[in-house]
Structures are given as C-alpha cells and as structure tokens.
C-alpha cells in the first residue's frame, strides 16, 4: 500500500517545507507565475464574485500516501481540524449565502467530528460535498460511512486516477485500485451514480504523467464504458 512510502514530513524530506516547494517551482518551472498570467488576461488582481462554495480542509490525516498529494497527507500525519474550529466555521457559513460546503483533507472522514460537521451543515440547509479517496469506505471503522453519506444526501467527489489498475496504483499505491472498485460497488448499491438517483457521484481523473487530461466528455465516456465492462460499476 502507498502508506509504506511515508509522507514528506515523515521522511524529513526538504520539500516538506512550503518555502522550499516554492523555491523549487521558481527555479525549475518553465511556467510563468500565476500573477503574470492573470495580468496578461486582464484579471489581475483577481477578485471573487458571488460566494457559492466554502471549502473546509479537515486535516492531513489519511489512510493513503499518494505521490501527487498537495498537502502531503498520510497515516503518519496527525494534524486535524478541532471541533472548536469547526464551530467557528459553522458560524461563518451561517453568515453567508454560500450554497455548498466542500469538505476535504487528507481523508476528511478520518476526522472524529466529520459526521457531526456534516449534520450541522445539512441543518443549515447547505449542500455538502465529500472529497473521498474511496478506499476509506472499505476500512472496518468506516463500514457504515456510505449509508451515512447517502442518508444526508452528501455529494461524493472521488479520486480514481484511471480505470486500469496499473496506472492507478502507480500514483496511489499498490492495491488501491482494487479497494477503490470495491468502494464504488458499495456506493452503487446505495444509489450513488445510478440512473434517476438523487445521490451524486463524481470521479476525478488524475493524469499519471507530465501531460494534460483529455476533454472531459471523452474521458467520462471512457470511464463509464470501461468501468461497466470490466467491473460492472
């Protein structure tokens, strides 16, 4: 499993420090700085319009250690959002007209107050998105998580780098793809991703290499066809 790799922080890797990451990007990247691109497009300084989505990161604790993780999450990371901070967030959400609360991590479900937070956000009349790594849904402590998410009509946005195990495991760790398929079958059984169901399931494609993804319509058609043909998902 990918957990054996260990996070950058666990390995004391120089790039565990944000400042070092920025320096590396500045010295090696051939891509123009974001501010420069915005200026070229006449959008600098960037200003928000209507606030529609509020995203909450519940911490860096995760059951996986993926090579592409931008927050360096993993089983060895213990940083999580406390309930006290969540309460501050809920008060802020209640003061806005935001329609959606997008919950991410790490694996957000591993935060001990995840379910409480979802219930509170739903009680405020806001739609919840759970950014799920899928494999968390197959672990014993979270066996009933699918039912909980379905009961509260939580929209699931899940990472599945590719519909072939070799490419997916190369990015996320050996055996992750098989567990992801197991989780997708559980989600289908609960109604997620099924025709005429109110339960929304989105799969996120991550390029396994230094290239851009194909057009969404094309890759979506490929995923639907291949996942159904190979795994009945």
């Amino acid at each position: 499993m990918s957990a054996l790799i260990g996070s950058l922080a666990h390995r004391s890797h120089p790039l565990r420090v944000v400042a070092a990451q920025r320096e590396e990007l500045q010295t090696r990247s051939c891509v123009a700085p974001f501010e420069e691109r915005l200026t070229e497009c006449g959008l600098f300084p960037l200003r928000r319009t209507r606030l529609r989505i509020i995203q909450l990161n519940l911490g860096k604790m995760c059951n996986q250690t993926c090579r592409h993780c931008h927050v360096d999450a993993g089983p060895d990371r213990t940083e999580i959002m406390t309930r006290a901070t969540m309460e501050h967030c809920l008060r802020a959400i209640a003061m806005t007209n935001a329609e959606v609360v997008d919950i991410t991590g790490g694996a957000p479900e591993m935060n001990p107050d995840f379910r409480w937070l979802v219930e509170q956000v739903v009680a405020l009349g806001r739609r919840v998105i759970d950014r799920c790594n899928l494999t968390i849904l197959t672990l014993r402590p979270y066996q009933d998580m699918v039912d909980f998410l379905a009961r509260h009509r939580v929209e699931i946005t899940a990472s599945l780098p590719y519909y072939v195990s070799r490419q997916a495991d190369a990015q996320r760790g050996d055996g992750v793809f098989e567990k992801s398929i197991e989780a997708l079958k559980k989600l289908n059984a609960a109604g997620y991703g099924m025709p005429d169901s109110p339960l929304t399931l989105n799969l996120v494609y991550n390029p396994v290499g230094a290239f851009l993804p194909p057009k969404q319509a094309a890759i979506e058609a490929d995923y639907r066809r291949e996942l159904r043909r190979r795994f009945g998902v």
Side-chain angles (χ1 to χ4, degrees):
M1 290 290 288
S2 57
L4 296 177
I5 300 172
S7 65
L8 296 177
H10 181 72
R11 289 181 283 149
S12 296
H13 194 286
L15 291 179
R16 71 188 186 280
V17 181
V18 174
Q21 296 173 13
R22 290 174 176 165
E23 183 179 353
E24 182 76 7
L25 288 171
Q26 289 173 353
T27 57
R28 292 180 177 269
S29 178
C30 61
V31 178
F34 185 55
E35 293 84 355
E36 184 178 318
R37 290 297 190 192
L38 287 176
T39 301
E40 291 176 1
C41 299
L43 295 174
F44 186 82
L46 189 64
R47 301 180 186 278
R48 73 167 178 87
T49 53
R50 184 173 67 90
L51 179 62
R52 194 176 70 85
I53 301 174
I54 293 178
Q55 186 172 78
L56 303 180
N57 189 311
L58 301 194
K60 298 186 177 183
M61 187 183 298
C62 189
N63 61 307
Q64 295 180 188
T65 311
C66 298
R67 297 180 184 276
H68 67 292
C69 182
H70 69 286
V71 297
D72 193 31
D76 54 284
R77 304 302 298 267
T78 58
E79 305 96 319
I80 59 170
M81 182 184 289
T82 65
R83 181 176 289 207
T85 300
M86 290 180 183
E87 290 173 342
H88 285 302
C89 293
L90 288 167
R91 285 193 288 271
I93 292 166
M95 295 170 62
T96 74
N97 293 321
E99 304 164 5
V100 179
V101 176
D102 186 343
I103 303 178
T104 185
E109 303 88 353
M110 293 185 74
N111 187 303
D113 290 314
F114 170 79
R115 299 186 193 217
W116 177 84
L117 176 64
V118 169
E119 291 170 346
Q120 300 304 308
V121 172
V122 171
L124 288 174
R126 315 303 167 93
R127 183 162 58 89
V128 177
I129 296 176
D130 174 29
R131 292 193 176 266
C132 180
N133 67 18
L134 291 177
T135 61
I136 191 72
L137 303 177
T138 68
L139 301 183
R140 187 175 300 277
Y142 309 96
Q143 289 290 318
D144 63 338
M145 182 62 71
V146 171
D147 292 336
F148 172 82
L149 296 171
R151 187 163 63 252
H152 292 87
R153 296 202 173 185
V154 174
E155 179 177 329
I156 296 177
T157 296
S159 176
L160 188 67
Y162 204 53
Y163 49 76
V164 178
S165 62
R166 184 176 67 257
Q167 287 91 328
D169 285 358
Q171 186 179 105
R172 304 182 72 197
D174 294 340
V176 168
F177 181 80
E178 182 180 352
K179 289 295 184 181
S180 297
I181 294 299
E182 179 183 339
L184 285 174
K185 290 181 177 180
K186 290 183 64 174
L187 289 168
N188 281 173
Y192 277 99
M194 304 303 289
D196 303 320
S197 172
L199 302 176
T200 301
L201 171 62
N202 301 304
L203 296 183
V204 178
Y205 166 79
N206 306 113
V208 186
F211 49 85
L212 294 174
K215 292 184 178 180
Q216 180 171 323
I219 195 66
E220 180 179 347
D222 289 344
Y223 263 64
R224 288 182 179 276
R225 182 186 65 252
E226 295 302 320
L227 288 176
R228 186 180 300 114
R229 181 177 69 86
R230 297 167 184 252
F231 310 104
V233 173

